[in-house]
Amino acid sequence: MTVSRVRRGVVPTLLGVLASAALLALYARGGWAWPFGFVALVPWLWTLDRLQSFGASLASAVLMSSAFVAAALGWFGAAFAAYVGIGTVPATAVLLLLAPVMQPQFLAFSLVRHATRRRGAWPRALAAAAAWVGCEWLFPKLLGDTLGHGLQPSLWFRQAADLGGAAGLTLMLLLVNEALARASSAGRSAWRPLSTAALMIALLAGYGAWRIASLQAALSAPAAAMRIGLVQANITDLERRRAEQGAYAVVRDLLDTHAAMSEHAVRAQGAEALLWSETVYPTTFGSPKSEDGAGFDQEIRDLVAALGTPLVFGTYDRDDHGEYNSAAVIEPARGLLGHYRKTHLFPFTEWVPDWLDGPRFRRWFPWTGSWRPGDGVRVFPLTLADGREANVLPLICLDDVRPQLAIDGARLGAQAIVGLSNDSWFTAYPAGARLHLAVATFRSIETRLPQLRATTNGLSAIVDESGEVVVQTGMGQQAVLVGEIPLRDPVPTLMLRFGDWVGPAGLAFLGVLALMAVVRRLGRGHLGSTDTSASVSS
């Protein structure tokens, strides 16, 4: 192959990758940019159709994953660098090098698309889309992101997430992009893929419009309600404060600030329950390590008793196996109801695999965490002052980026999701906090449960059953947010019935295609053997 032919292949590929990365960057901004999700991959798909080998398709996918990370998630490298205290440049370089590992769906999509190129346009498109969503289910991403989350700003389009979650929306977006890419090279027959794309978009919008109307009808019936106060104290950088002021002074400031803000929420705004953020009480609650710790524990109990309101707050828990990032639930009359232990820990900053952990590893990476993962959801019945009960499902930080925990909680009778998060490492990079909130709203769509999220310094929010962010705080703001949520059983959804099913279904579809290919190959081999035998006999 001549150098000029290579250049003719490389240049269009690079242009297609860069064009798609730019469109994906716009799409990731949210707000008005959500329609870009239907066309963002078209330039890359157009160039993929012209690649003739697995190697070229794989190289294109590697470039696309790196370009996507740089364009849409570039802030993550800088935020992580600030958190662990290393330079932004090396952190970003590592992020880009790891892009194919962090976003492996591009590789799976491209290779399956190439492998099925002779099956026809739509079987190939379905197989590639199945590979994408199957890969994201099999290898969950750190931030839980998928293309479907970009449709969050659209009231109608996001409603289809109660059928197949954000993964189902991703599948539809991929198919629409495939149809538009095919239309761009179909000449006079372009009307066929264009009409297919238009039909899929119309079906999504039509379902969303119908679902909103049915939700409004179902939720208009009278129901008991609960007013809950979310406390966002905007106290961050605890490690620096601890080094400068001492641990006692830091905890003292945290408790005094939260007590004053909680009293305002109850006395002035009528809150009937309180929610504080993740790890707001940075030591074990209920199993104190010192006399000071026992005194602080008692102060929290006394506060709950004085205000007469239940409290859910972030703290630590421990047992013989180690410590846990947890949410403690306290009531005025019954005291500590128990702890929910965070299930999905952030790798390395919160948890290190046992096979990798050790003294040498800790010397090299002193910022790594040592919490143990919890063992699944818990639903707590909060008893309000007048005897009403509210069944709440606590989720901590990354717990709300994966669908199954919220689904499990709804199946156990939860009437509301209460989220606790510490997004303070996004202080200078609010795109991270916006992404986290957008992803979390899908848990309300999939389960049709209202959601309350208290964060350390933003973005705290109240989310309704349609996934609408009713009200939210700003980043870096000290605020008390009080809202009312209805207490009723959730409206049934396909996601509640079958769980997070789209990814496994995609993998099953690929398995069937692979089995059919093996059967056909065996059949051809058997036929060839029979023909040869017949020829020899004659």
Side-chain angles (χ1 to χ4, degrees):
M1 184 180 291
T2 64
V3 173
S4 61
R5 285 188 65 186
V6 171
R7 287 176 177 172
R8 286 198 298 270
V10 169
V11 171
T13 297
L14 287 175
L15 291 176
V17 165
L18 292 174
S20 282
L23 291 170
L24 287 168
L26 287 172
Y27 179 57
R29 293 177 62 88
W32 56 268
W34 63 264
F36 284 107
F38 293 102
V39 299
L41 292 176
V42 170
W44 181 51
L45 295 176
W46 189 79
T47 61
L48 276 181
D49 288 338
R50 286 148 181 78
L51 300 178
Q52 301 300 313
S53 68
F54 269 108
S57 296
L58 178 61
S60 177
V62 169
L63 286 173
M64 188 67 246
S65 64
S66 297
F68 169 73
V69 167
L73 299 173
W75 51 266
F76 183 77
F80 187 76
Y83 181 83
V84 302
I86 63 176
T88 299
V89 173
T92 302
V94 170
L95 180 70
L96 295 179
L97 285 173
L98 292 178
V101 178
M102 296 178 65
Q103 302 289 334
Q105 74 279 3
F106 287 105
L107 281 65
F109 175 85
S110 180
L111 294 180
V112 169
R113 195 174 187 273
H114 183 85
T116 55
R117 65 193 183 281
R118 294 189 178 91
R119 287 185 174 271
W122 282 111
R124 179 186 66 175
L126 285 169
W132 183 299
V133 296
C135 182
E136 289 188 325
W137 178 83
L138 198 59
F139 305 105
K141 288 181 279 185
L142 285 179
L143 304 177
D145 54 288
T146 187
L147 283 178
H149 290 134
L151 293 179
Q152 199 282 333
S154 171
L155 175 63
W156 285 1
F157 283 106
R158 68 175 182 249
Q159 300 310 315
D162 72 356
L163 299 175
L169 296 180
T170 294
L171 187 74
M172 293 296 287
L173 285 171
L174 291 169
L175 295 177
V176 171
N177 273 271
E178 287 276 16
L180 295 178
R182 181 167 175 77
S184 68
S185 58
R188 293 181 178 179
S189 300
W191 65 271
R192 292 177 179 173
L194 284 176
S195 60
T196 301
L199 177 61
M200 286 189 287
I201 293 172
L203 286 173
L204 278 177
Y207 176 81
W210 169 80
R211 195 53 161 156
I212 286 296
S214 64
L215 269 178
Q216 289 173 344
L219 300 179
S220 62
M226 173 179 68
R227 286 181 64 80
I228 187 164
L230 284 60
V231 176
Q232 179 177 302
N234 196 33
I235 299 176
T236 61
D237 200 5
L238 297 186
E239 291 301 322
R240 180 187 61 81
R241 290 170 181 255
R242 187 179 286 112
E244 294 175 355
Q245 305 168 16
Y248 182 91
V250 169
V251 179
R252 175 79 278 151
D253 184 35
L254 283 166
L255 290 187
D256 288 346
T257 303
H258 281 80
M261 297 177 72
S262 297
E263 185 170 2
H264 175 78
V266 174
R267 309 291 190 211
Q269 300 190 53
E272 299 171 295
L274 294 164
L275 179 62
W276 297 354
S277 63
E278 178 188 14
T279 61
V280 69
Y281 183 55
T283 185
T284 54
F285 180 85
S287 53
K289 301 177 180 178
S290 66
E291 289 186 11
D292 287 338
F296 287 138
D297 282 10
Q298 189 58 47
E299 284 189 34
I300 295 175
R301 291 188 179 95
D302 291 343
L303 174 68
V304 170
L307 295 178
T309 57
L311 168 65
V312 183
F313 68 103
T315 181
Y316 307 169
D317 190 21
R318 65 173 174 173
D319 59 19
D320 293 339
H321 301 288
E323 288 195 357
Y324 303 82
N325 183 345
S326 76
V329 183
I330 309 177
E331 285 186 354
R334 292 187 288 174
L336 178 64
L337 298 186
H339 288 262
Y340 163 70
R341 295 169 172 176
K342 184 177 180 180
T343 302
H344 297 302
L345 298 173
F346 204 93
F348 299 108
T349 60
E350 291 187 315
W351 162 81
V352 177
D354 291 337
W355 60 267
L356 183 61
D357 204 357
R360 178 178 297 179
F361 181 87
R362 295 287 174 176
R363 283 198 305 270
W364 289 351
F365 305 102
W367 43 266
T368 50
S370 56
W371 276 319
R372 310 295 299 177
D375 55 3
V377 298
R378 292 190 67 183
V379 174
F380 293 89
L382 293 186
T383 303
L384 304 183
D386 61 0
R388 281 172 295 146
E389 273 199 353
N391 296 325
V392 300
L393 167 68
L395 296 177
I396 303 175
C397 196
L398 286 188
D399 287 340
D400 63 20
V401 306
R402 300 186 188 177
Q404 197 60 49
L405 286 178
I407 291 170
D408 291 343
R411 289 171 174 173
L412 290 174
Q415 296 169 304
I417 299 169
V418 290
L420 303 81
S421 189
N422 181 359
D423 288 346
S424 59
W425 63 309
F426 294 144
T427 299
Y429 309 95
R434 289 195 296 269
L435 173 61
H436 193 181
L437 175 57
V439 173
T441 63
F442 278 81
R443 306 296 82 84
S444 288
I445 303 170
E446 293 154 358
T447 63
R448 297 304 177 185
L449 290 175
Q451 182 176 175
L452 306 110
R453 298 183 74 245
T455 65
T456 303
N457 67 330
L459 305 166
S460 300
I462 297 173
V463 182
D464 70 13
E465 296 88 342
S466 74
E468 186 73 16
V469 179
V470 178
V471 62
Q472 70 178 57
T473 62
M475 200 74 189
Q477 177 186 13
Q478 187 175 88
V480 172
L481 196 60
V482 176
E484 190 170 282
I485 58 169
L487 301 177
R488 54 163 61 93
D489 293 333
V491 174
T493 71
L494 202 64
M495 285 289 283
L496 281 179
R497 184 173 180 83
F498 294 111
D500 188 15
W501 64 273
V502 171
L507 293 176
F509 177 70
L510 291 179
V512 170
L513 289 182
L515 181 62
M516 291 172 60
V518 170
V519 170
R520 279 198 302 271
R521 179 167 293 186
L522 291 175
R524 285 198 299 268
H526 177 72
L527 181 61
S529 174
T530 302
D531 289 347
T532 300
S533 175
S535 176
V536 171
S537 298
S538 64

